[in-house]
Amino acid sequence: MLKTSKKKSDPTIFIIFGGTGDLTKRKIMPALYNLFLNKWLPENFAIIGTSSTKTNVQKYIDDLKSAVDEFSRNGKTNEEDWKRFSANITFQDADVTDSTAFKPFAKLIDQYKKEWQKTPSIIYYCAVAPRFFCTIAENISKAKLENDPKTTRIIIEKPFGIDLESARELNKKLLGIFAETQIYRIDHYLGKEVVQNIMAFRFANSIMEPLWNRNHVEHVQISVTEQIGIEGRGNYFEHAGILRDMIQNHLLQLLCIISMEPPINFNADEVRDRKVDVLKAMRKIETGKVETMSARGQYSSGWIEGKEVLGYREEKNVDPDSNTETYAALKLYVDNWRWQGVPFYLRTGKRLFKSASTITLQFREIPHNIFLSEESGAPKQNRLVISIQPDMAIRFQLQSKVPGLEMNLNTVDVIFDYSAGKKTDSPEAYETLLLDAITGDQTLFMRADQVEAAWELIMPILNYWEKNKEQNFPNYSADSWGPENAEALIAKDGYHWFNLPDNK
């Protein structure tokens, strides 16, 4: 995570399972290409794409070029740059369920070792369906491929399990083959530029830490709203739901970064220890209190930007009587000295009015108001708004006098805006995370106990929702801000959700 120079790492071989898939084309390959352009990749590297679908190397490279042209933040590739980059790409078809199909990888690795005259780092990237994670790990072991804890790593995409039991089983199997220091459980939210900056913002500024506690913060909101629907992923989403898909990983990780104690240093385990401390301190939700601590929703048909969209139950591969939630909101507490009594409100959903990811800390009211009069207007509470997307910014909302002869108050924003005056584009999350995997930095990757603690927290809600069918689905329309029960969840405490343009 802490990169101060473009120090060249050891030669590296990427073996990408699911090498012809959507994730490779949209995220992994554009990220690797951009790292290459910015001279972050080692001088000697190789990318071995693999899939059960047979193709020749040149066609594979041409397909990847089209994908990078479409999805790279740098736009279309430069012919000369792509030629130099693609010279390091090859393809090897393999059925991941067949251990004998892994033998060609050993030959390729030996070939590169002889060519480079140095032992490379091997990164196995599982860009495949979760049911293949353990199979790939087991076949790597059976094929006796490189498995030196110092040089071999495996990247696991989400979802990491579908519940606490399956997550524990997956961890057990992986840890029977790899050491914890070799396993990189990826959550792309942790690679986002603004998310990384939260820790710098908190721990590198003496003005912030005294305010970052229950004495000054009234409540916290973490909100990830999406205008899109399930994008044709009915088979996946029916078995996942938004609670598993977003809150168990992305939103809980954001909560950990916001509420963690200062680490002693930026050692990966030290940072992750502090995050686990937060999850362990979170108040357990009892089965009888699920209805008062959570809300769920499912979208109906409606109109988005002038186009009619289907309701969730009308989507392809979705049960017409589905009980799967497309919206979830939680009220959580971190029971420790810093945050005791401060509610953390989390919400996320599909087909909402705007796509935005924000974290808002609302500070307590001033202890004595000297401005309260009809003329001046009552001062509003200060807020710190961390905007992750669509814009990347951190803004303080403060009170200031309106210019003029009268003492009238107005809210002004003090903004740190990533887009203002920057000379270079911010890296994509996958660029950051892939570079960390190359250099062996696990700070932004989840550890086994961290994953399991997150599952443990939400299991009472998952179990309750699966046993108790919601009778009012669908309960919010597309292009709205969600169901009424989510508004009631926060309104009963005297607050409201901060929607755009509230955060502007």
mmCIF file of all heavy atoms in Angstrom, residues 26-58:
data_model
loop_
_atom_site.group_PDB
_atom_site.id
_atom_site.type_symbol
_atom_site.label_atom_id
_atom_site.label_comp_id
_atom_site.label_asym_id
_atom_site.label_seq_id
_atom_site.Cartn_x
_atom_site.Cartn_y
_atom_site.Cartn_z
ATOM 1 N N ARG A 26 -12.500 -6.643 -18.346
ATOM 2 C CA ARG A 26 -12.919 -5.323 -17.870
ATOM 3 C C ARG A 26 -11.982 -4.713 -16.834
ATOM 4 O O ARG A 26 -11.818 -3.492 -16.782
ATOM 5 C CB ARG A 26 -14.327 -5.402 -17.268
ATOM 6 C CG ARG A 26 -15.448 -5.561 -18.280
ATOM 7 C CD ARG A 26 -16.778 -5.747 -17.583
ATOM 8 N NE ARG A 26 -17.879 -5.747 -18.522
ATOM 9 C CZ ARG A 26 -18.589 -4.673 -18.879
ATOM 10 N NH1 ARG A 26 -18.297 -3.501 -18.331
ATOM 11 N NH2 ARG A 26 -19.572 -4.749 -19.737
ATOM 12 N N LYS A 27 -11.391 -5.567 -16.004
ATOM 13 C CA LYS A 27 -10.643 -5.046 -14.853
ATOM 14 C C LYS A 27 -9.169 -5.476 -14.816
ATOM 15 O O LYS A 27 -8.272 -4.635 -14.709
ATOM 16 C CB LYS A 27 -11.331 -5.481 -13.551
ATOM 17 C CG LYS A 27 -12.743 -4.937 -13.367
ATOM 18 C CD LYS A 27 -12.748 -3.421 -13.223
ATOM 19 C CE LYS A 27 -14.157 -2.892 -12.965
ATOM 20 N NZ LYS A 27 -14.161 -1.415 -12.859
ATOM 21 N N ILE A 28 -8.931 -6.805 -14.871
ATOM 22 C CA ILE A 28 -7.579 -7.296 -14.617
ATOM 23 C C ILE A 28 -6.601 -6.868 -15.698
ATOM 24 O O ILE A 28 -5.537 -6.313 -15.409
ATOM 25 C CB ILE A 28 -7.588 -8.834 -14.469
ATOM 26 C CG1 ILE A 28 -8.478 -9.250 -13.297
ATOM 27 C CG2 ILE A 28 -6.163 -9.350 -14.260
ATOM 28 C CD1 ILE A 28 -8.685 -10.756 -13.193
ATOM 29 N N MET A 29 -6.951 -7.108 -16.962
ATOM 30 C CA MET A 29 -6.004 -6.794 -18.027
ATOM 31 C C MET A 29 -5.800 -5.286 -18.200
ATOM 32 O O MET A 29 -4.649 -4.847 -18.365
ATOM 33 C CB MET A 29 -6.440 -7.444 -19.332
ATOM 34 C CG MET A 29 -5.308 -7.626 -20.322
ATOM 35 S SD MET A 29 -3.898 -8.589 -19.666
ATOM 36 C CE MET A 29 -4.676 -10.174 -19.347
ATOM 37 N N PRO A 30 -6.863 -4.452 -18.161
ATOM 38 C CA PRO A 30 -6.602 -3.008 -18.209
ATOM 39 C C PRO A 30 -5.718 -2.536 -17.060
ATOM 40 O O PRO A 30 -4.873 -1.664 -17.241
ATOM 41 C CB PRO A 30 -8.008 -2.390 -18.120
ATOM 42 C CG PRO A 30 -8.906 -3.429 -18.707
ATOM 43 C CD PRO A 30 -8.311 -4.739 -18.261
ATOM 44 N N ALA A 31 -5.899 -3.129 -15.878
ATOM 45 C CA ALA A 31 -5.066 -2.744 -14.735
ATOM 46 C C ALA A 31 -3.605 -3.112 -14.959
ATOM 47 O O ALA A 31 -2.695 -2.310 -14.707
ATOM 48 C CB ALA A 31 -5.590 -3.410 -13.457
ATOM 49 N N LEU A 32 -3.355 -4.321 -15.429
ATOM 50 C CA LEU A 32 -1.971 -4.741 -15.698
ATOM 51 C C LEU A 32 -1.338 -3.885 -16.792
ATOM 52 O O LEU A 32 -0.163 -3.507 -16.700
ATOM 53 C CB LEU A 32 -1.937 -6.218 -16.092
ATOM 54 C CG LEU A 32 -2.227 -7.224 -14.968
ATOM 55 C CD1 LEU A 32 -2.349 -8.633 -15.524
ATOM 56 C CD2 LEU A 32 -1.152 -7.166 -13.885
ATOM 57 N N TYR A 33 -2.110 -3.550 -17.813
ATOM 58 C CA TYR A 33 -1.577 -2.723 -18.897
ATOM 59 C C TYR A 33 -1.219 -1.327 -18.398
ATOM 60 O O TYR A 33 -0.161 -0.778 -18.732
ATOM 61 C CB TYR A 33 -2.595 -2.638 -20.031
ATOM 62 C CG TYR A 33 -2.138 -1.786 -21.195
ATOM 63 C CD1 TYR A 33 -1.043 -2.160 -21.969
ATOM 64 C CD2 TYR A 33 -2.802 -0.602 -21.519
ATOM 65 C CE1 TYR A 33 -0.612 -1.385 -23.039
ATOM 66 C CE2 TYR A 33 -2.390 0.180 -22.589
ATOM 67 C CZ TYR A 33 -1.295 -0.214 -23.346
ATOM 68 O OH TYR A 33 -0.871 0.566 -24.396
ATOM 69 N N ASN A 34 -2.064 -0.753 -17.563
ATOM 70 C CA ASN A 34 -1.783 0.579 -17.019
ATOM 71 C C ASN A 34 -0.575 0.558 -16.081
ATOM 72 O O ASN A 34 0.221 1.506 -16.062
ATOM 73 C CB ASN A 34 -3.011 1.134 -16.295
ATOM 74 C CG ASN A 34 -4.120 1.515 -17.257
ATOM 75 O OD1 ASN A 34 -3.863 1.818 -18.427
ATOM 76 N ND2 ASN A 34 -5.352 1.487 -16.788
ATOM 77 N N LEU A 35 -0.418 -0.508 -15.303
ATOM 78 C CA LEU A 35 0.783 -0.644 -14.470
ATOM 79 C C LEU A 35 2.031 -0.727 -15.345
ATOM 80 O O LEU A 35 3.078 -0.161 -15.009
ATOM 81 C CB LEU A 35 0.672 -1.888 -13.581
ATOM 82 C CG LEU A 35 -0.333 -1.828 -12.428
ATOM 83 C CD1 LEU A 35 -0.459 -3.191 -11.760
ATOM 84 C CD2 LEU A 35 0.068 -0.765 -11.405
ATOM 85 N N PHE A 36 1.906 -1.418 -16.467
ATOM 86 C CA PHE A 36 3.021 -1.509 -17.408
ATOM 87 C C PHE A 36 3.356 -0.128 -17.981
ATOM 88 O O PHE A 36 4.530 0.265 -18.035
ATOM 89 C CB PHE A 36 2.650 -2.483 -18.529
ATOM 90 C CG PHE A 36 3.623 -2.503 -19.675
ATOM 91 C CD1 PHE A 36 4.830 -3.182 -19.578
ATOM 92 C CD2 PHE A 36 3.331 -1.836 -20.863
ATOM 93 C CE1 PHE A 36 5.727 -3.198 -20.642
ATOM 94 C CE2 PHE A 36 4.215 -1.847 -21.924
ATOM 95 C CZ PHE A 36 5.424 -2.525 -21.818
ATOM 96 N N LEU A 37 2.334 0.611 -18.394
ATOM 97 C CA LEU A 37 2.570 1.941 -18.964
ATOM 98 C C LEU A 37 3.258 2.870 -17.967
ATOM 99 O O LEU A 37 4.114 3.678 -18.342
ATOM 100 C CB LEU A 37 1.245 2.572 -19.404
ATOM 101 C CG LEU A 37 0.539 1.980 -20.626
ATOM 102 C CD1 LEU A 37 -0.740 2.760 -20.916
ATOM 103 C CD2 LEU A 37 1.448 1.989 -21.850
ATOM 104 N N ASN A 38 2.886 2.738 -16.702
ATOM 105 C CA ASN A 38 3.431 3.616 -15.666
ATOM 106 C C ASN A 38 4.682 3.053 -15.001
ATOM 107 O O ASN A 38 5.122 3.560 -13.970
ATOM 108 C CB ASN A 38 2.354 3.902 -14.615
ATOM 109 C CG ASN A 38 1.223 4.735 -15.179
ATOM 110 O OD1 ASN A 38 1.442 5.689 -15.911
ATOM 111 N ND2 ASN A 38 -0.017 4.370 -14.853
ATOM 112 N N LYS A 39 5.224 1.974 -15.614
ATOM 113 C CA LYS A 39 6.509 1.397 -15.197
ATOM 114 C C LYS A 39 6.491 0.846 -13.768
ATOM 115 O O LYS A 39 7.490 0.925 -13.043
ATOM 116 C CB LYS A 39 7.649 2.418 -15.361
ATOM 117 C CG LYS A 39 7.755 2.986 -16.782
ATOM 118 C CD LYS A 39 8.973 3.865 -16.954
ATOM 119 C CE LYS A 39 8.972 4.561 -18.302
ATOM 120 N NZ LYS A 39 8.810 3.660 -19.447
ATOM 121 N N TRP A 40 5.366 0.285 -13.373
ATOM 122 C CA TRP A 40 5.268 -0.354 -12.069
ATOM 123 C C TRP A 40 5.513 -1.861 -12.150
ATOM 124 O O TRP A 40 5.810 -2.501 -11.137
ATOM 125 C CB TRP A 40 3.899 -0.099 -11.441
ATOM 126 C CG TRP A 40 3.731 1.273 -10.865
ATOM 127 C CD1 TRP A 40 2.987 2.292 -11.385
ATOM 128 C CD2 TRP A 40 4.308 1.789 -9.659
ATOM 129 N NE1 TRP A 40 3.061 3.405 -10.576
ATOM 130 C CE2 TRP A 40 3.865 3.129 -9.506
ATOM 131 C CE3 TRP A 40 5.166 1.266 -8.697
ATOM 132 C CZ2 TRP A 40 4.248 3.932 -8.436
ATOM 133 C CZ3 TRP A 40 5.544 2.067 -7.618
ATOM 134 C CH2 TRP A 40 5.087 3.383 -7.500
ATOM 135 N N LEU A 41 5.324 -2.461 -13.318
ATOM 136 C CA LEU A 41 5.559 -3.900 -13.433
ATOM 137 C C LEU A 41 7.056 -4.190 -13.450
ATOM 138 O O LEU A 41 7.852 -3.363 -13.895
ATOM 139 C CB LEU A 41 4.918 -4.439 -14.718
ATOM 140 C CG LEU A 41 3.391 -4.497 -14.769
ATOM 141 C CD1 LEU A 41 2.934 -5.205 -16.040
ATOM 142 C CD2 LEU A 41 2.810 -5.188 -13.547
ATOM 143 N N PRO A 42 7.446 -5.377 -12.978
ATOM 144 C CA PRO A 42 8.868 -5.739 -13.042
ATOM 145 C C PRO A 42 9.328 -5.833 -14.493
ATOM 146 O O PRO A 42 8.523 -6.007 -15.419
ATOM 147 C CB PRO A 42 8.923 -7.102 -12.347
ATOM 148 C CG PRO A 42 7.535 -7.630 -12.399
ATOM 149 C CD PRO A 42 6.639 -6.447 -12.353
ATOM 150 N N GLU A 43 10.606 -5.731 -14.691
ATOM 151 C CA GLU A 43 11.155 -5.793 -16.050
ATOM 152 C C GLU A 43 10.814 -7.115 -16.721
ATOM 153 O O GLU A 43 10.476 -7.163 -17.910
ATOM 154 C CB GLU A 43 12.669 -5.596 -16.004
ATOM 155 C CG GLU A 43 13.325 -5.590 -17.374
ATOM 156 C CD GLU A 43 14.822 -5.344 -17.286
ATOM 157 O OE1 GLU A 43 15.315 -5.002 -16.190
ATOM 158 O OE2 GLU A 43 15.494 -5.510 -18.327
ATOM 159 N N ASN A 44 10.900 -8.197 -15.961
ATOM 160 C CA ASN A 44 10.551 -9.517 -16.488
ATOM 161 C C ASN A 44 9.225 -9.964 -15.888
ATOM 162 O O ASN A 44 9.101 -10.135 -14.669
ATOM 163 C CB ASN A 44 11.638 -10.543 -16.126
ATOM 164 C CG ASN A 44 12.953 -10.256 -16.820
ATOM 165 O OD1 ASN A 44 12.979 -9.922 -17.999
ATOM 166 N ND2 ASN A 44 14.047 -10.378 -16.078
ATOM 167 N N PHE A 45 8.213 -10.085 -16.726
ATOM 168 C CA PHE A 45 6.909 -10.568 -16.274
ATOM 169 C C PHE A 45 6.266 -11.366 -17.392
ATOM 170 O O PHE A 45 6.592 -11.216 -18.582
ATOM 171 C CB PHE A 45 5.998 -9.411 -15.849
ATOM 172 C CG PHE A 45 5.469 -8.574 -16.979
ATOM 173 C CD1 PHE A 45 4.225 -8.846 -17.549
ATOM 174 C CD2 PHE A 45 6.210 -7.519 -17.485
ATOM 175 C CE1 PHE A 45 3.731 -8.079 -18.598
ATOM 176 C CE2 PHE A 45 5.727 -6.737 -18.528
ATOM 177 C CZ PHE A 45 4.478 -7.021 -19.089
ATOM 178 N N ALA A 46 5.346 -12.238 -17.015
ATOM 179 C CA ALA A 46 4.594 -13.029 -17.988
ATOM 180 C C ALA A 46 3.151 -13.142 -17.513
ATOM 181 O O ALA A 46 2.891 -13.242 -16.307
ATOM 182 C CB ALA A 46 5.211 -14.409 -18.154
ATOM 183 N N ILE A 47 2.227 -13.123 -18.460
ATOM 184 C CA ILE A 47 0.805 -13.289 -18.172
ATOM 185 C C ILE A 47 0.323 -14.516 -18.928
ATOM 186 O O ILE A 47 0.402 -14.566 -20.163
ATOM 187 C CB ILE A 47 0.001 -12.049 -18.616
ATOM 188 C CG1 ILE A 47 0.486 -10.809 -17.870
ATOM 189 C CG2 ILE A 47 -1.496 -12.276 -18.379
ATOM 190 C CD1 ILE A 47 -0.083 -9.505 -18.419
ATOM 191 N N ILE A 48 -0.134 -15.512 -18.185
ATOM 192 C CA ILE A 48 -0.641 -16.741 -18.786
ATOM 193 C C ILE A 48 -2.147 -16.786 -18.551
ATOM 194 O O ILE A 48 -2.604 -17.015 -17.430
ATOM 195 C CB ILE A 48 0.018 -17.991 -18.184
ATOM 196 C CG1 ILE A 48 1.546 -17.903 -18.303
ATOM 197 C CG2 ILE A 48 -0.509 -19.257 -18.869
ATOM 198 C CD1 ILE A 48 2.285 -18.997 -17.538
ATOM 199 N N GLY A 49 -2.902 -16.521 -19.598
ATOM 200 C CA GLY A 49 -4.344 -16.648 -19.489
ATOM 201 C C GLY A 49 -4.747 -18.093 -19.682
ATOM 202 O O GLY A 49 -4.146 -18.815 -20.492
ATOM 203 N N THR A 50 -5.745 -18.543 -18.929
ATOM 204 C CA THR A 50 -6.180 -19.923 -19.071
ATOM 205 C C THR A 50 -7.689 -20.022 -18.960
ATOM 206 O O THR A 50 -8.324 -19.244 -18.230
ATOM 207 C CB THR A 50 -5.500 -20.836 -18.034
ATOM 208 O OG1 THR A 50 -5.916 -22.182 -18.252
ATOM 209 C CG2 THR A 50 -5.852 -20.423 -16.610
ATOM 210 N N SER A 51 -8.247 -20.956 -19.699
ATOM 211 C CA SER A 51 -9.687 -21.151 -19.730
ATOM 212 C C SER A 51 -9.950 -22.523 -20.322
ATOM 213 O O SER A 51 -9.099 -23.102 -21.004
ATOM 214 C CB SER A 51 -10.352 -20.067 -20.586
ATOM 215 O OG SER A 51 -11.710 -20.375 -20.836
ATOM 216 N N SER A 52 -11.143 -23.054 -20.073
ATOM 217 C CA SER A 52 -11.510 -24.335 -20.690
ATOM 218 C C SER A 52 -11.816 -24.156 -22.171
ATOM 219 O O SER A 52 -11.817 -25.118 -22.939
ATOM 220 C CB SER A 52 -12.721 -24.946 -19.975
ATOM 221 O OG SER A 52 -13.820 -24.052 -20.027
ATOM 222 N N THR A 53 -12.066 -22.907 -22.576
ATOM 223 C CA THR A 53 -12.314 -22.594 -23.980
ATOM 224 C C THR A 53 -10.983 -22.510 -24.725
ATOM 225 O O THR A 53 -10.102 -21.746 -24.340
ATOM 226 C CB THR A 53 -13.053 -21.256 -24.123
ATOM 227 O OG1 THR A 53 -14.261 -21.306 -23.354
ATOM 228 C CG2 THR A 53 -13.394 -20.969 -25.577
ATOM 229 N N LYS A 54 -10.851 -23.275 -25.782
ATOM 230 C CA LYS A 54 -9.601 -23.278 -26.550
ATOM 231 C C LYS A 54 -9.549 -22.076 -27.496
ATOM 232 O O LYS A 54 -10.551 -21.701 -28.086
ATOM 233 C CB LYS A 54 -9.464 -24.570 -27.341
ATOM 234 C CG LYS A 54 -9.273 -25.802 -26.470
ATOM 235 C CD LYS A 54 -9.001 -27.032 -27.316
ATOM 236 C CE LYS A 54 -8.757 -28.250 -26.423
ATOM 237 N NZ LYS A 54 -8.456 -29.474 -27.227
ATOM 238 N N THR A 55 -8.381 -21.498 -27.605
ATOM 239 C CA THR A 55 -8.149 -20.410 -28.547
ATOM 240 C C THR A 55 -6.648 -20.332 -28.819
ATOM 241 O O THR A 55 -5.851 -20.871 -28.050
ATOM 242 C CB THR A 55 -8.677 -19.065 -27.996
ATOM 243 O OG1 THR A 55 -8.559 -18.059 -29.007
ATOM 244 C CG2 THR A 55 -7.884 -18.632 -26.764
ATOM 245 N N ASN A 56 -6.279 -19.688 -29.920
ATOM 246 C CA ASN A 56 -4.848 -19.539 -30.154
ATOM 247 C C ASN A 56 -4.351 -18.246 -29.514
ATOM 248 O O ASN A 56 -5.136 -17.347 -29.204
ATOM 249 C CB ASN A 56 -4.519 -19.584 -31.656
ATOM 250 C CG ASN A 56 -5.134 -18.423 -32.418
ATOM 251 O OD1 ASN A 56 -4.801 -17.269 -32.182
ATOM 252 N ND2 ASN A 56 -6.023 -18.734 -33.356
ATOM 253 N N VAL A 57 -3.058 -18.177 -29.314
ATOM 254 C CA VAL A 57 -2.476 -17.067 -28.566
ATOM 255 C C VAL A 57 -2.769 -15.727 -29.228
ATOM 256 O O VAL A 57 -3.135 -14.757 -28.554
ATOM 257 C CB VAL A 57 -0.955 -17.265 -28.398
ATOM 258 C CG1 VAL A 57 -0.329 -16.039 -27.733
ATOM 259 C CG2 VAL A 57 -0.663 -18.510 -27.565
ATOM 260 N N GLN A 58 -2.631 -15.641 -30.548
ATOM 261 C CA GLN A 58 -2.820 -14.359 -31.222
ATOM 262 C C GLN A 58 -4.259 -13.865 -31.109
ATOM 263 O O GLN A 58 -4.492 -12.678 -30.873
ATOM 264 C CB GLN A 58 -2.426 -14.462 -32.700
ATOM 265 C CG GLN A 58 -2.379 -13.101 -33.405
ATOM 266 C CD GLN A 58 -1.469 -12.107 -32.703
ATOM 267 O OE1 GLN A 58 -0.300 -12.396 -32.441
ATOM 268 N NE2 GLN A 58 -1.998 -10.932 -32.359
#
